[in-house]
Structure formats: structure tokens, C-alpha cells
């Protein structure tokens, strides 16, 4: 028993040491907003991370805004779960090479409450569904703060959602629930398994404006997610959504991880914002 305890203690210390030794990789133009935001109706607070374009402080320009979930995984290897999207490095490179600039707002996930917060529909595995309150928090608390304190283009055509897995699901829900707020969505590896029938019915009952842009992607190694995403894409097309404003990819060799989403991120933002 004592030996078993010592082994577990050693493993715990090793994991803590590894986490503490992971390098910070966020670029200088990523900031963590000082005050966590209170989440109405959820009795908790949330950290928000902000990417500003390289030339932000030297200009008076206004910028489109992308709201992303799982903020810990977007910019910094040290805070990520199993790797980062490298959103900041990618956008800095695009700003330098083609002059494309935007603001990104990363909302941290609730860790142990992530499934609850990103689930907009019932599922036996989710004790309490909080997706509606989470999206309302973004729309009614985070977005007004960002628009007030930073130089944004606040209209729907310049405002987008993006996320992966459960973040892909809540991005789908978010643009359909708030089409007057979001005009674009990047839906990566969406977790439609949470409640396929509910997602389908919700999508049918809340058709998007024809100019809303949807970017879907999934890796061909992601099992059942491939079929469900393809089925949803066809379902939306059959609702007569303008096919010029909908695109989807099954990525050869793609797996359910940040390495795939990092690669797709660049393609997605260029297509969504017409900067190709």
C-alpha cells in the first residue's frame, strides 16, 4: 500500500512539474482581460482572452470580431489541454502577408463544467444543460463589453462564432439562435451526437438568412462525426440555404485534435471573411 501511494505521489508531482514547465507561447498582442466576467444565471465567473491585430495601437481602424470557445486552447501552449490552435501566430502571419486583420475573443471553458455549458440540447450524459445561458452570456455580456472598449465592426456581417467538438455544436446553435448577431460560423468536428434529433429540429425551425456563412470541417478519422456532419450539411442545403455561403470539408487523415483545427483555422477565417 505504501509503495502504491508513493508511486501515485510521484506521478502526481511529475504531472504538476510538467504542466508548470510548459512554455508560454502566446504572442505579445494576446492579453488576458484583468477582471473575470460574471455569468448571469450560472453563479460563476469566466476568464476572457483577447487577440488584437499587430497594428491595433497605431491605427484608428475598426475590425471584424471572431468569438471562439475553449479560450485556453487558442493562443498558449502553457494553458492548453493537449495543444493550441496557434490563432495568434496564424493571424499575425496573415496581417503581414495579405493585410487581413481581425479581433479574436476567446472565452475560457468551464473545465469540469465544459460539457454543461456547451450543451444546448438534452443528453443523458449531461446532468444540467446550460448552452442557452452560455450563449446569452456571450451575446448580452461579452459582446457589448468588447464593442464598448475596443474598435470593432459590431454588425452581424463582421461578427462570427467558431469552435470545435462541443464548441462546434454550440457555434451551430449560436448562429441559429442569434442570426441577428452572428453572420458567420466555423463549425469544426461538431458533436451532433449529443442529440441529433434536437439539433435537426432546431435547425429546421430556425432557418438562417441566406447570406449567413457556414464553414464545416471534420477529419476522416473522427468516426461517427463524419457521417453526422455530412448529413447536417445536406439537411441545410435541402433547406435551400445559399450554397455559395456554405462549404464543408472532410480532411484526409484528420483526427479529433488541435493539430487538425489549427490547420483548418486559417482556411476557415479566410473563407468566412472573404479574404481568400
Amino acid at each position: 500500500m505504501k509503495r502504491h501511494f508513493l508511486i501515485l505521489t510521484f506521478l502526481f508531482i511529475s504531472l504538476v512539474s510538467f504542466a508548470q514547465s510548459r512554455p508560454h507561447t502566446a504572442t505579445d498582442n494576446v492579453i488576458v482581460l484583468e477582471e473575470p466576467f460574471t455569468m448571469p444565471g450560472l453563479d460563476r465567473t469566466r476568464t476572457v482572452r483577447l487577440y488584437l491585430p499587430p497594428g491595433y495601437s497605431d491605427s484608428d481602424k475598426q475590425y471584424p470580431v471572431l468569438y471562439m470557445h475553449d479560450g485556453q486552447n487558442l493562443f498558449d501552449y502553457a494553458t492548453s489541454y493537449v495543444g493550441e490552435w496557434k490563432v495568434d501566430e496564424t493571424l499575425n502571419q496573415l496581417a503581414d502577408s495579405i493585410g487581413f486583420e481581425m479581433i479574436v475573443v476567446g472565452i475560457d471553458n468551464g473545465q469540469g463544467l465544459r460539457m454543461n455549458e456547451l450543451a444546448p440540447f438534452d443528453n443523458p450524459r449531461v446532468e444540467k444543460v446550460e448552452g442557452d445561458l452560455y450563449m446569452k452570456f456571450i451575446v448580452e455580456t461579452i459582446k457589448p463589453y468588447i464593442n464598448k472598449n475596443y474598435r470593432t465592426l459590431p454588425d452581424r456581417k463582421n461578427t462570427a462564432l467558431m469552435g470545435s467538438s462541443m464548441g462546434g455544436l454550440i457555434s451551430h446553435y449560436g448562429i441559429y439562435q442569434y442570426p441577428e448577431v452572428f453572420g458567420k460560423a466555423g463549425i469544426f468536428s461538431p458533436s451532433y451526437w449529443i442529440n441529433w434529433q434536437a439539433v435537426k429540429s432546431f435547425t429546421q425551425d430556425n432557418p438562417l438568412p441566406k447570406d449567413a456563412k457556414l464553414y464545416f470541417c471534420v477529419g476522416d478519422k473522427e468516426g461517427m462525426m463524419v457521417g453526422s456532419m455530412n448529413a447536417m450539411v445536406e439537411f441545410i442545403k435541402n433547406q435551400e440555404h445559399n450554397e455559395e455561403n456554405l462549404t464543408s470539408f472532410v480532411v484526409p487523415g484528420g483526427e479529433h485534435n488541435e493539430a487538425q483545427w489549427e490547420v483548418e483555422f486559417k482556411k476557415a477565417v479566410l473563407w468566412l471573411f472573404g479574404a481568400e
Side-chain angles (χ1 to χ4, degrees):
M1 180 65 72
K2 183 177 180 181
R3 182 172 179 272
H4 181 67
F5 174 77
L6 289 173
I7 292 173
L8 289 176
T9 301
F10 173 77
L11 289 173
F12 175 76
I13 292 173
S14 297
L15 287 171
V16 171
S17 298
F18 173 72
Q20 292 176 339
S21 67
R22 294 168 69 182
H24 285 281
T25 58
T27 57
D28 292 340
N29 49 325
V30 173
I31 59 176
V32 179
L33 299 186
E34 291 185 7
E35 293 294 328
F37 290 80
T38 298
M39 305 178 77
L42 293 175
D43 192 30
R44 65 192 73 133
T45 61
R46 190 52 38 83
T47 296
V48 172
R49 303 168 194 272
L50 187 66
Y51 167 89
L52 296 174
Y56 183 88
S57 61
D58 299 322
S59 77
D60 56 3
K61 289 172 55 179
Q62 293 176 286
Y63 301 90
V65 184
L66 172 62
Y67 291 85
M68 298 185 70
H69 318 290
D70 296 316
Q72 300 99 318
N73 296 341
L74 303 179
F75 312 112
D76 196 341
Y77 179 63
T79 62
S80 68
Y81 176 56
V82 288
E84 55 151 322
W85 286 48
K86 298 183 180 178
V87 167
D88 45 346
E89 290 92 343
T90 298
L91 290 179
N92 283 353
Q93 185 272 324
L94 288 175
D96 181 62
S97 61
I98 63 172
F100 174 69
E101 296 181 312
M102 67 186 308
I103 292 171
V104 178
V105 182
I107 300 98
D108 276 15
N109 64 55
Q111 299 183 3
L113 294 169
R114 179 177 182 271
M115 284 286 291
N116 306 76
E117 292 178 358
L118 301 186
F121 307 107
D122 290 330
N123 180 279
R125 290 176 54 183
V126 183
E127 183 177 349
K128 185 179 181 182
V129 172
E130 299 175 336
D132 182 61
L133 287 172
Y134 170 79
M135 275 307 310
K136 190 175 290 188
F137 164 64
I138 294 176
V139 170
E140 297 183 1
T141 301
I142 300 298
K143 189 175 187 294
Y145 177 90
I146 296 298
N147 289 339
K148 179 181 178 181
N149 291 280
Y150 298 92
R151 297 193 309 276
T152 67
L153 293 168
D155 61 294
R156 58 179 293 275
K157 289 187 177 181
N158 287 288
T159 307
L161 278 172
M162 185 179 291
S164 61
S165 194
M166 290 296 292
L169 174 65
I170 198 67
S171 294
H172 180 130
Y173 173 80
I175 192 171
Y176 275 85
Q177 180 70 0
Y178 296 100
E180 75 284 3
V181 176
F182 304 104
K184 314 170 191 294
I187 301 169
F188 292 14
S189 308
S191 295
Y192 291 138
W193 57 265
I194 199 89
N195 191 328
W196 169 255
Q197 287 302 324
V199 182
K200 188 176 178 181
S201 296
F202 179 77
T203 302
Q204 181 173 343
D205 294 342
N206 298 277
L208 288 176
K210 300 302 182 184
D211 65 344
K213 299 188 73 173
L214 300 173
Y215 184 103
F216 289 89
C217 68
V218 68
D220 66 0
K221 294 185 177 180
E222 293 191 71
M224 64 180 181
M225 288 184 168
V226 179
S228 62
M229 189 202 80
N230 285 338
M232 180 56 69
V233 168
E234 289 305 309
F235 182 72
I236 295 171
K237 287 180 179 179
N238 290 335
Q239 285 192 293
E240 299 183 353
H241 189 79
N242 184 350
E243 291 195 26
E244 291 184 1
N245 291 326
L246 187 156
T247 192
S248 66
F249 299 94
V250 177
V251 182
E255 299 179 341
H256 196 79
N257 57 35
E258 277 70 18
Q260 173 184 276
W261 303 325
E262 173 200 336
V263 173
E264 288 300 310
F265 172 76
K266 179 178 180 179
K267 293 187 286 184
V269 293
L270 290 175
W271 185 82
L272 286 170
F273 288 91
E276 295 176 296

